[in-house]
Amino acid sequence: MIKTIKELLIEWWAGNTTTKMPIPTIYTYEVDVDGKTITIESMSKSRMYIHYKARRKYPNAKCIRVVSRTQTY
């Protein structure tokens, strides 16, 4: 059954107007900063962004290494 654009718009307007928001995914990273293991949480899954956040938090660190990532909701 083919519906016209007008019928589709009427169905859309009559439908439920609430939008379903996606559940935000929070990633927890373990980062090695000069031999100490710290955890950093982020909504981004980019390891380079986590490295940047660790560099901003510890500007005088000699070695920063992202060890692992776990995903939490």
Side-chain angles (χ1 to χ4, degrees):
M1 180 170 127
I2 299 174
K3 294 185 179 181
T4 64
I5 294 175
K6 183 178 179 181
E7 290 172 342
L8 291 172
L9 283 173
I10 289 171
E11 284 181 12
W12 181 69
W13 283 329
N16 193 357
T17 58
T18 59
T19 58
K20 294 182 180 179
M21 298 297 290
I23 297 173
T25 304
I26 299 172
Y27 299 97
T28 305
Y29 289 86
E30 290 182 7
V31 181
D32 183 34
V33 178
D34 290 337
K36 295 185 292 184
T37 302
I38 63 166
T39 58
I40 296 178
E41 292 183 348
S42 176
M43 307 240 341
S44 172
K45 59 165 67 168
S46 172
R47 293 171 76 92
M48 292 299 293
Y49 181 68
I50 298 304
H51 190 276
Y52 169 75
K53 284 181 75 170
R55 178 62 64 192
R56 297 269 307 190
K57 192 170 184 179
Y58 301 99
N60 296 327
K62 297 200 185 305
C63 177
I64 294 178
R65 185 172 65 100
V66 179
V67 179
S68 66
R69 176 183 80 194
T70 57
Q71 180 173 315
T72 57
Y73 292 97

